[in-house]
Amino acid sequence: MTDPEQKQRLEALEAKIEAAKEAQAPRPRVDEHYSMANHAWRMVVELVSGLGIGFGIGYGLDSLFGTIPIFLVTFTLLGLAAGIQTMIRTAREIETQKLAEEAENDERA
């Protein structure tokens, strides 16, 4: 490989390989913009999942113990409360993000 022509061919091949690797490399993600509808759906899913989990636990306990649907009602209400609490936490998260974005925009202006 001491021949200069072979060295040039090897360098050209390495450059082609490097270019191919760069073309296949994943692109950096740009800040994703979530619309308010996406946030609303997230909150709905959180509420419904809390209700569903509470309902499932209550139904399971009532079936296990053979009781009237006292556990069903209790855990469904607890699931509702947990879902609402999660929705409130998400709303605070969104509000914090919006305030941070506004403050950043005010700094730039």
Side-chain angles (χ1 to χ4, degrees), residues 38-56:
N38 288 343
H39 290 299
W41 274 111
R42 175 182 170 189
M43 289 182 178
V44 168
V45 168
E46 289 169 349
L47 179 64
V48 171
S49 64
L51 278 169
I53 290 170
F55 179 84

Side-chain angles (χ1 to χ4, degrees), residues 57-77:
I57 290 172
Y59 182 78
L61 288 176
D62 278 334
S63 295
L64 181 67
F65 296 128
T67 57
I68 57 173
I70 188 71
F71 289 117
L72 177 73
V73 171
T74 304
F75 279 94
T76 300
L77 291 175

Side-chain angles (χ1 to χ4, degrees), residues 39 42-43 46 85-95:
H39 290 299
R42 175 182 170 189
M43 289 182 178
E46 289 169 349
Q85 183 180 12
T86 305
M87 284 176 55
I88 291 171
R89 187 178 314 128
T90 300
R92 286 186 186 144
E93 227 177 80
I94 293 168
E95 181 182 18

